[in-house]
Structures are given as structure tokens and as C-alpha cells.
Amino acid sequence: MPVKPDCEKLCPEWPCDDPFEFKGVWVVAEADENELNEASLQMLTPAKKIASKLGEKIVGILVGYNVKKWADELIKHGADEVIVVDDERLKTYYPRVYGQVIVDLAKKYKPSVILVSATMRGREMAPYIANTLRTGITADCTDFDVDEKTGDVLMIRPPFAAIMLAYIKTPFRKPQMGTARPNVFPVPPRDESRSGPVIEEKAEIIPPGMELAYYKPVKREEVLIEKAEIIVSVGKGIGGPDGVKLAEKLASLLGGVVAGSRKAVDAGWIPPERQVGQTGKSVKPVLYIAIGISGAAQHMIGVREAGRIVAINIDPDAPIFNQADYGIIGDYREIVPALIEELERLKKEGPKAIEELLKEEEEAAAS
Amino acid sequence: MRIVVGIKWVPNTQAVRFDPKTGTLIREGVPSIVNPHDYPAIELALRLRDKYGGEVIAVTMAPPSARQGLEHVLGMGVDKGVLLTDRAFAGADTLATSYVIAKAIEKIDKEIGHVDVAIFGHETIDSSTAHIGAQVASWLGWPYVYYARDAELVEDGKLKVRRQTERAIEEYVLNLPAVVATAIKALEPRPIRLLHKLRAKIEQPIIVWTNNELGLDKRCIGLKGSPTVVANITFMPEVPRKKIVYKPKDPKDAARWLLRQLFKDEAVAPFLKKALWG
């Protein structure tokens, strides 16, 4: 059971709320006229885990202009109900304006938990919401749980150096807020039979104190690394931008994309939006080929969800060999071209070439 | 313009090593540094000052040793440093930290002179929350924007900030005072100059404020002012991996060995076949 706080002991800047009044697990959805961000749907997965342990409802929150149409999508993917603020004055996103609308909704409805996907917009807005509600927030959680004794939500995140997990709770304040990076959780399956109430709310819209003066959409030409099935990733060990060209050639043969470690980004070989790891992105490809990546914990945290990891490294003591499925000790400058050559040959010869390839091993074993 | 820039004195996480035998972090001898993601914020503040005049004040909440960090950025040309240090600030989460920083900005505004902009780095390398900018904006009631790459003053004394998100290149015109947080590696920081270091040595422009000077309620700072509590710390469970390591005879042998492993592996093989032959 939650404990009612001793109001005398709390910072007078905070409201002293009765924790028993707070119910419901909110997922703040990121949407505009054209798109409901898939990362928001992903947050319904941890919401379900928390809500079922607390015995509370999952509530989707939609704030914007022409966004009511997404309510059904949230419900089909697991929300029990949706609260919508659909207002033409919300056509342009301003973090403080959107944040304040959600703060006002939270003051009215008193949810026990608010989850926000840590997209760029989510990372900008969520701490404003938490702070204005004078409550705690835990960024970039990799899992959530509920303390059975107290009912506190445990926000689980890797802290310093990414080797440990910290369980963070917010015992004296509600709502409890947490964010998770895109693709840490899957989108719950769509269930056509689901339905639920959609509540339309009017909100007071504060003056933004700022104005969007210029907007130019950037084309997404390439597959985002978060969505790639095969990733060829490069680290400091490639030694220069030429290595990136080899990686690109390998990736294109495999229908994959190129990414890199922090060091490769720092060196300017890989753009920051393609950085994998603690200060970059979490990815979950079927296959992750790490070239010249030593295997620092800060990097490996970003590939925990990868299906298989291949490591190519010249240093036999590189820690990555202990964290990969298939490791090859050697110079990538020789091995990657050979790999490209073999793949090109296979591609030309067709699927039957696999049999011959596998037979070679039997012969080697037999001799 | 008077620009406050927030910096953090952090352990150099790149220097932290993991002891595989004992399963612990080796933190001994790990030096502290100015958070690398704060440099674009410092550089943006200095460029605004160089262009429009005024001063840049670096603020940090930290143990006394963070004076070194302030001295470092004074060497880049920052005009003053404010060190917020008190045992009562220890154990603060981001809410309690942003509270102290916001109150210090208010005090600077009152006692040193009007503050136009507060600039922060994107996030820190030791906790990577990216909270402080938005939280300080919340305490101060100022407009704010993240991911800034550049800024300039425009008509009516407003600040135009350029940024890039996954979706678009955007420019916002903010009423001042405002909070701006820079993007990672948005601007190349200028080097330390001996001239600035000498000036800092002579003028000693570092102000130390403890909670005696700030006079904040003890219930709002440090551990007590922090709504989040670390309930437990565990080691991350190791992901099971095959850990098959091969030392090839030659590059061709390496390539063929790897492809054999991948085509035998049902978790990968269908995707490879699809990629090669559709």
C-alpha cells in the first residue's frame, strides 16, 4: 500500500497530495495530423505490465490538432481509454505549451504513472511536465516493474557505465514518470475487437513565448538504424573513413544499413543519428556486424536486443569477443573484402551455393 | 547580453573500467572532467557574447573540486564562474539540482545583473538524462528549446534559435529570457588561451555560493528535495551469446567460415537468403 506522506517533511514547493487519489497509467502519444509515432505505441507494452500489476487502466493521451483520429489506434493496441485535446491552436508544437496542457490534464485526472517515449520531442517535453508537476522522472528506462509491497513503480535504467541497473522509485510523489528510448519495447499486437471511450477535453493554451519562424522537413532517405534488420557497425578500429566505404558495400549487399560507435561518430566518420550505444540509439537488428568495435559496455548496451552479433577485430583480447556470437580475429581490411567477394559469388550462383558452402565444412571435419 | 551557461563536473566515464574478476567498476584514479556535451553550450554562449557584448557566467553545482572545471572554462574566455557547493546539495536528483540552479540564476539576475539566456548542454555523460534544461525552464517559467545548433539576436531583442530534429530543420524565435539546450557536437569549442588563463588567475572571477547565500529550504534541496529514490542497484544480466571465436587461415577462410555459421543459424539464415535472392 502506498504511504501518505508527512506534509511537513515535504518541500513546500511541492503539493502534498493523497497518493490514494492517483489512478491510471498514462501513455503520452506523439502525433500530428499525418502520423502517430510508432514509438508511442511501443510504450503501451510497459504500460500494460504496470497497469496489470497495479490493477489500473491504461489511458492514452493525445494532444495536438487533428489528432483525435489516432485514438482508436491507441485503443486497438492496448489503451483502455483515450483523453484527447484537439485544438487548432496546438497545430504548432511548442514544448512548454504541449507540456502545460498535459500538466493541466494530469492535475485534473491524477494518474499514478505517466510514460513518455524518449523521442527527441519526448526528451524535450517530459522533464518539463515532471518538473511543473513537481514530481520525479527517470529517463531512458529499459524496463519497468512494480514493488509488490508498496505499489511503487520501479523505473529500471542502466546508470553510470551501463553495467549495472538502477531501480528508481518515486515514493512520495505522484504521478511517477518515466521515459524509454524508441525500440526498447515492441508495439503490442493490434486487437481489432478492442474498443473504449474517447474523452474530449478542452484545455487552456498558454502563450508559447516563442514562435516557429522556419520549418523545412528533412527527407528520410535511408532506413533508420532503429528499424534495420541488418546493421554493419564500425568503431575506432576501422582507422579512417575508408573503412566506412567497405562497411557500406557490405551493408548494401545484405540489405542493411551502416551505423557506428561513439568513437566513430566523434571522429566524424558516422553521423550522430547513426550512433549506437548509451549516448546514441538502442537497436535490435536480426544481425549486428561489429567491425573494429572493442566492445565497451557503453556501446554494448545499445545492442542487447540484437539477434546475433558478429565481431571482426584485429585484437584477440578485445572484450567484444566475449559478447558476440561469432568472432573473427583479423584485419577487417582483408576480411571484409573477402566477405563481400563471397557474398557476391553466392548472390550470383543462387541458393544452391549454400549446400556447397556447408559441405566444405563436413569435408574439413572428415579430413 | 548576460548569458548563464550550466556545466557539470563529471567522472570521465570513458576512463572507467570494469573488473571482470570481481564484477565491479574500477573508479579509483578516474579523473573528473567538464561534461563533454557542455562544450557546445559554452561555445554558443561565447559566440553570442563576442557578437553582442555582455558577459558569460558559468554555473555549476558540485563539490569544491569542481573549481578546476570552472577554471578550465574561464580559460576558454568565460567571464565569471559560480560554484554552488554545499553538503546539503548532495544526493540531488534532477528536480532538486535544477531547483538550485534556477534559484542561482534568479540570484545572479538580482545581484549581478539581468540574465537574458541560460544555455545548457544536451545531456551529461555520467547520467544522460537531458532533464536540466527543461526543468530549469519550468522553475523559471521561461520558454525553452532543445537541440540548438546556432542562435542570433533578431528584432525586438528576441533570440532566433536554429535546430534540427529527425523531421525537420526549424528556427524558433524566443522571447527573452529563455533557456536553450544545445545539440551534441553542435559547435566546435574554442581552445584554451593563455591570456584568458592569466586573467582568471589575476582576477579570480569565481564566486562560491553555499546554501547560506542561497537560503533555500532544506526540504527542497539535496536528497530531501529529490522525489526519485534509488531503491536498488543490480548487475545487468548478461545476454547469452555463443562466443565462438575463430582465427582464420586467410581472409577467404574467414569469410567462408562466417557465412557457414550464419547459414546454419536459423535466427539469421532466412534474412540472409532474403537479402541475397529476394
Side-chain angles (χ1 to χ4, degrees):
Chain A
M1 292 299 275
V3 185
K4 188 159 172 32
D6 178 349
C7 295
E8 287 301 306
K9 284 187 179 163
L10 290 186
C11 171
E13 300 263 7
W14 307 356
C16 188
D17 298 309
D18 179 353
F20 293 94
E21 286 182 9
F22 288 77
K23 290 274 181 290
V25 179
W26 281 16
V27 171
V28 176
E30 182 176 325
D32 60 20
E33 273 184 280
N34 308 315
E35 192 187 0
L36 170 66
N37 196 324
E38 194 186 299
S40 309
L41 293 176
Q42 294 167 356
M43 294 310 281
L44 291 165
T45 294
K48 187 167 187 193
K49 179 177 181 183
I50 297 168
S52 66
K53 290 200 176 188
L54 291 175
E56 295 178 8
K57 276 190 294 197
I58 301 174
V59 184
I61 304 296
L62 274 168
V63 172
Y65 178 53
N66 273 340
V67 292
K68 196 191 158 194
K69 58 186 167 193
W70 306 118
D72 187 54
E73 194 67 13
L74 288 168
I75 289 169
K76 294 277 191 282
H77 283 282
D80 297 303
E81 59 182 56
V82 174
I83 301 172
V84 183
V85 178
D86 202 317
D87 192 311
E88 197 175 352
R89 291 170 295 169
L90 294 169
K91 193 165 183 176
T92 304
Y93 157 80
Y94 297 109
R96 204 164 61 117
V97 176
Y98 272 50
Q100 194 62 49
V101 169
I102 294 159
V103 165
D104 292 341
L105 289 177
K107 281 181 178 168
K108 177 172 174 183
Y109 285 92
K110 298 186 187 300
S112 64
V113 181
I114 301 179
L115 302 180
V116 184
S117 177
T119 57
M120 285 180 91
R121 185 182 287 195
R123 293 193 109 209
E124 179 176 49
M125 189 175 67
Y128 182 87
I129 298 169
N131 207 82
T132 309
L133 290 167
R134 308 289 185 250
T135 191
I137 175 166
T138 304
D140 300 344
C141 299
T142 51
D143 201 2
F144 296 88
D145 208 342
V146 173
D147 184 324
E148 281 176 22
K149 278 188 215 140
T150 61
D152 289 328
V153 173
L154 298 169
M155 316 267 177
I156 305 168
R157 85 182 295 252
F160 196 62
I163 294 153
M164 296 177 299
L165 284 175
Y167 294 68
I168 295 168
K169 57 184 182 179
T170 318
F172 310 116
R173 287 290 303 131
K174 293 265 168 29
Q176 308 160 82
M177 279 190 73
T179 71
R181 294 273 179 136
N183 296 309
V184 170
F185 298 101
V187 175
R190 193 185 159 92
D191 178 352
E192 289 299 333
S193 70
R194 289 181 61 86
S195 66
V198 178
I199 302 155
E200 288 191 68
E201 274 287 338
K202 292 267 169 276
E204 204 183 306
I205 316 281
I206 61 163
M210 60 196 279
E211 200 186 333
L212 181 62
Y214 177 82
Y215 183 90
K216 189 181 142 204
V218 284
K219 258 200 208 152
R220 287 184 202 161
E221 288 158 355
E222 300 164 52
V223 184
L224 294 171
I225 59 167
E226 298 97 304
K227 294 191 177 163
E229 283 176 346
I230 295 179
I231 295 177
V232 180
S233 195
V234 297
K236 190 183 163 202
I238 64 161
D242 288 349
V244 178
K245 287 195 191 115
L246 273 179
E248 274 165 0
K249 198 163 178 199
L250 179 59
S252 84
L253 259 175
L254 296 171
V257 299
V258 172
S261 71
R262 180 188 177 129
K263 281 174 180 162
V265 172
D266 279 354
W269 304 331
I270 296 289
E273 67 271 14
R274 294 186 167 262
Q275 184 186 325
V276 171
Q278 192 185 20
T279 56
K281 289 175 173 168
S282 295
V283 293
K284 46 173 187 186
V286 171
L287 178 62
Y288 188 82
I289 302 177
I291 304 173
I293 291 177
S294 66
Q298 291 91 336
H299 181 77
M300 299 311 286
I301 183 105
V303 293
R304 280 180 68 85
E305 305 290 320
R308 291 287 185 267
I309 297 177
V310 168
I312 301 171
N313 207 299
I314 201 161
D315 174 10
D317 297 322
I320 195 161
F321 287 125
N322 208 24
Q323 304 168 76
D325 295 289
Y326 308 111
I328 297 175
I329 301 167
D331 187 349
Y332 87 91
R333 288 177 187 83
E334 295 173 347
I335 291 166
V336 175
L339 197 52
I340 289 168
E341 200 185 312
E342 283 299 309
L343 280 166
E344 279 173 341
R345 195 180 55 76
L346 285 175
K347 193 178 164 75
K348 217 170 81 191
E349 288 178 13
K352 66 176 189 326
I354 301 175
E355 285 168 39
E356 178 212 349
L357 182 79
L358 295 180
K359 213 166 70 189
E360 187 179 303
E361 182 174 52
E362 283 164 26
E363 281 165 8
S367 67
Chain B
M1 296 185 93
R2 184 166 289 98
I3 304 153
V4 167
V5 60
I7 66 168
K8 189 175 182 190
W9 188 237
V10 297
N12 184 356
T13 51
Q14 298 289 340
V16 174
R17 290 287 171 263
F18 180 61
D19 184 339
K21 280 184 198 129
T22 60
T24 53
L25 293 177
I26 307 165
R27 291 209 207 188
E28 282 94 58
V30 174
S32 284
I33 53 171
V34 173
N35 172 43
H37 301 318
D38 293 341
Y39 284 106
I42 298 163
E43 180 60 30
L44 181 59
L46 291 171
R47 286 188 192 182
L48 287 170
R49 180 208 59 192
D50 292 348
K51 204 163 166 189
Y52 305 110
E55 65 174 351
V56 175
I57 304 176
V59 173
T60 189
M61 186 186 97
S65 67
R67 175 181 279 273
Q68 278 177 66
L70 288 173
E71 283 167 356
H72 185 80
V73 301
L74 288 170
M76 291 172 69
V78 167
D79 299 282
K80 291 191 178 85
V82 175
L83 176 60
L84 308 167
T85 189
D86 199 306
R87 278 185 183 279
F89 299 154
D93 70 2
T94 58
L95 185 112
T97 302
S98 63
Y99 182 67
V100 172
I101 293 169
K103 291 294 161 184
I105 291 172
E106 285 177 357
K107 191 176 167 72
I108 291 169
D109 190 82
K110 219 169 99 192
E111 296 177 7
I112 300 177
H114 180 66
V115 175
D116 298 285
V117 193
I119 307 180
F120 296 90
H122 178 63
E123 62 182 28
T124 60
I125 55 165
D126 64 336
S127 52
S128 343
T129 68
H131 285 170
I132 296 292
Q135 287 173 320
V136 168
S138 160
W139 288 113
L140 296 173
W142 294 0
Y144 74 100
V145 68
Y146 273 26
Y147 316 117
R149 304 196 149 263
D150 203 358
E152 60 179 313
L153 282 178
V154 290
E155 64 276 14
D156 307 329
K158 293 180 182 182
L159 189 72
K160 185 161 88 181
V161 175
R162 192 172 60 82
R163 75 168 185 180
Q164 184 169 352
T165 66
E166 310 105 319
R167 297 158 181 274
I169 295 165
E170 301 170 336
E171 284 176 6
Y172 289 94
V173 175
L174 284 82
N175 297 352
L176 297 182
V179 171
V180 173
T182 49
I184 290 174
K185 298 184 185 73
L187 297 158
E188 186 66 32
R190 61 193 63 191
I192 305 268
R193 286 182 61 192
L194 187 61
L195 178 77
H196 295 311
K197 282 184 88 167
L198 285 172
R199 185 191 64 90
K201 242 195 168 84
I202 296 160
E203 293 180 10
Q204 297 279 325
I206 295 178
I207 307 160
V208 179
W209 284 341
T210 67
N211 201 37
N212 289 334
E213 284 78 25
L214 287 176
L216 304 176
D217 191 311
K218 287 254 167 74
R219 293 169 292 182
C220 302
I221 57 176
L223 208 53
K224 287 201 184 100
S226 300
T228 59
V229 174
V230 179
N232 191 16
I233 287 186
T234 60
F235 282 98
M236 216 145 156
E238 200 181 322
V239 185
R241 295 284 175 198
K242 294 182 194 284
K243 301 181 188 179
I244 306 169
V245 181
Y246 185 65
K247 201 167 186 322
K249 293 192 290 268
D250 55 58
K252 191 179 177 187
D253 176 43
R256 292 185 71 83
W257 175 83
L258 179 61
L259 291 174
R260 276 200 300 275
Q261 308 308 312
L262 296 179
F263 279 113
K264 278 192 297 181
D265 187 337
E266 273 312 304
V268 187
F271 291 88
L272 282 186
K273 288 176 188 165
K274 193 180 80 186
L276 287 175
W277 303 296

